[in-house]
Amino acid sequence: MPNYLYNLATDKHKGLKASLIKFFLFLLSLIYGLVIRLLIFVSGFRAYKAPIKVISVGNITWGGTGKTPLVELIAGYLKSKGKKAAIISRGYKRKTIRYPLARRPWFGLLWPKPLSAIRFEFIGDEAYMLREKMKDIPVIVDANRRRGIESAVKEYAVDTVILDDGFQQWKIKKDLEIVVIDAGNPFGNRNMIPRGILRQPLAALKQADIFILTKTNLASDFEKTKIYLTVINPLALIAESIHEAKGAYELNKNNQFLSLDSLKGKTVVLFSGIGDPDSFEKLIAHFGINIGLSLRFSDHYAYSQKDIENIILKSKNKGIDILITTEKDAARLCGLMPALCGVRILVLPISLKITKNEER
């Protein structure tokens, strides 16, 4: 159902039946838009001002724009400048992944109690991925961002927080508002959810300080998008970025990197449950790797053991022994321990690189 609604919102479904559903969704989007405008108006009267710097990284659309790699890049940059930063995440679909609290910094490196005594918290795939990659930067998972900020100040004495997916956090005053925009599909059909992919009106872009156009290496033309952004918000900085992959590693072996050049000309099976599977497939094809089969699941999909077994079976039926997935998907494979039966599952880490206006 989520995929069907997303395809309707992005006008991939045609015909009379689809048109009737789209009209109904359009009416719902008008109601949604009114509610959002009201929430923005009301929230402005009692916005929380944090005692530290708040950097928001968010988007205006539904779907994958590349926020998480940017959050990772900013956190690493702040650390290199001697700042004490923390990342605040809502942990979307957090009940899919258990994370041991003992591994969090304030519990120390050793846990004297047996495994059965260790307390766990549920976090989402993006928060899990950030924690695993950024061991020395706190990642706090809390749907209540104000509470998350207060926890960061109290428990870690940070001077800066990064709000992951913070553009819709109207109750919090921000020192820097960064909006991430997919260069290949910036605003969809410019309708609000559920008829389109906009999470709030385009006029909200006037609040941004910086626009980051992502995946410009996978987009054919985005000059019109830059012109539109300049018209709607002439004071905001527009920076361009690309998504790049420097290698891959086998599942559960992230210290053993494999060059993607070694896969050139080979045929692989892709599987992913992300907001923008098209960019994942384009990136793989860019390295000259043949895609024999691409299995798409809904964003943040919670894989089961049976799902993995079916994926492996389909790969073997195609005579393909190499599977590639994303780091976000790999986070949701933790604990499944699939019987690989002669196939390899490779994980593709993605990083973001600013290609224009990096210094500014």
Side-chain angles (χ1 to χ4, degrees):
M1 183 58 73
N3 284 336
Y4 183 75
L5 288 173
Y6 185 79
N7 288 334
L8 285 171
T10 52
D11 295 323
K12 292 179 181 178
H13 287 317
K14 309 292 183 180
L16 179 61
K17 179 183 176 182
S19 297
L20 292 173
I21 298 175
K22 288 176 186 178
F23 177 73
F24 176 69
L25 294 178
F26 174 72
L27 297 179
L28 291 179
S29 71
L30 296 179
I31 299 172
Y32 173 86
L34 288 173
V35 172
I36 291 297
R37 288 177 174 88
L38 180 62
L39 287 174
I40 294 173
F41 178 75
V42 172
S43 299
F45 288 107
R46 46 190 182 132
Y48 167 66
K49 174 62 178 173
I52 57 175
K53 295 295 183 183
V54 177
I55 299 173
S56 168
V57 177
N59 60 12
I60 197 170
T61 56
W62 169 29
T65 55
K67 294 189 307 298
T68 305
L70 180 60
V71 168
E72 183 183 339
L73 183 146
I74 293 172
Y77 176 80
L78 291 173
K79 181 191 171 188
S80 72
K81 295 299 180 181
K83 298 295 183 182
K84 294 185 67 177
I87 298 168
I88 313 294
S89 172
R90 65 171 173 163
Y92 185 72
K93 290 200 173 182
R94 55 198 294 182
K95 290 189 177 182
T96 59
I97 299 175
R98 292 203 315 165
Y99 195 93
L101 282 168
R103 298 179 68 177
R104 297 175 73 170
W106 65 85
F107 279 91
L109 297 176
L110 298 177
W111 187 264
K113 296 183 180 180
L115 185 62
S116 59
I118 297 179
R119 294 186 298 118
F120 289 87
E121 66 172 334
F122 287 97
I123 66 174
D125 48 11
E126 291 166 350
Y128 178 91
M129 186 173 69
L130 286 168
R131 278 194 187 170
E132 290 295 294
K133 295 180 75 173
M134 316 198 77
K135 301 286 188 181
D136 49 357
I137 295 178
V139 179
I140 297 171
V141 179
D142 198 327
N144 185 323
R145 306 305 173 84
R146 174 173 177 171
R147 186 170 59 201
I149 292 172
E150 291 171 345
S151 295
V153 174
K154 181 180 178 180
E155 298 180 27
Y156 296 100
V158 301
D159 53 41
T160 312
V161 293
I162 306 166
L163 293 183
D164 186 9
D165 197 18
F167 194 44
Q168 284 73 40
Q169 295 300 309
W170 309 299
K171 292 184 179 181
I172 296 175
K173 291 185 178 180
K174 303 135 184 182
D175 297 283
L176 191 65
E177 188 81 83
I178 303 174
V179 177
V180 184
I181 296 173
D182 184 346
N185 185 26
F187 314 118
N189 56 20
R190 301 201 176 195
N191 283 309
M192 301 276 284
I193 292 172
R195 177 60 189 91
I197 61 173
L198 290 178
R199 299 169 68 181
Q200 59 188 106
L202 286 171
L205 294 175
K206 295 177 182 178
Q207 307 303 316
D209 299 302
I210 299 175
F211 294 116
I212 304 287
L213 290 172
T214 60
K215 311 173 193 175
T216 58
N217 54 326
L218 305 176
S220 56
D221 181 24
F222 49 89
E223 287 303 315
K224 290 182 180 179
T225 301
K226 291 171 65 176
I227 292 171
Y228 178 79
L229 293 174
T230 301
V231 170
I232 199 169
N233 189 342
L235 298 179
L237 168 67
I238 301 176
E240 298 175 20
S241 69
I242 62 172
H243 276 189
E244 59 179 4
K246 297 180 180 179
Y249 59 85
E250 292 203 27
L251 185 65
N252 300 324
K253 297 179 182 178
N254 57 4
N255 60 338
Q256 300 177 17
F257 258 74
L258 174 72
S259 170
L260 291 174
D261 290 334
S262 64
L263 299 176
K264 189 172 182 179
K266 295 186 177 181
T267 301
V268 302
V269 169
L270 305 184
F271 68 96
S272 63
I274 56 177
D276 184 15
D278 287 334
S279 64
F280 176 45
E281 293 168 9
K282 287 178 182 178
L283 195 58
I284 291 294
H286 174 76
F287 286 96
I289 302 170
N290 302 317
I291 302 172
L293 181 65
S294 181
L295 303 171
R296 297 183 175 189
F297 298 83
S298 59
D299 196 12
H300 303 281
Y301 182 79
Y303 294 101
S304 67
Q305 186 73 39
K306 187 172 179 58
D307 289 325
I308 304 304
E309 290 171 358
N310 286 337
I311 291 170
I312 292 174
L313 180 61
K314 288 179 180 179
S315 302
K316 295 183 74 174
N317 288 340
K318 284 273 188 178
I320 302 172
D321 60 2
I322 301 175
L323 296 84
I324 304 180
T325 191
T326 72
E327 270 195 314
K328 200 165 88 167
D329 287 282
R332 284 173 265 130
L333 297 178
C334 290
L336 294 181
M337 300 299 291
L340 299 182
C341 303
V343 303
R344 300 163 66 200
I345 297 181
L346 302 181
V347 180
L348 187 76
I350 301 295
S351 60
L352 183 140
K353 179 181 179 181
I354 305 294
T355 56
K356 189 169 184 180
N357 277 335
E358 179 181 22
E359 186 176 346
R360 288 185 63 196

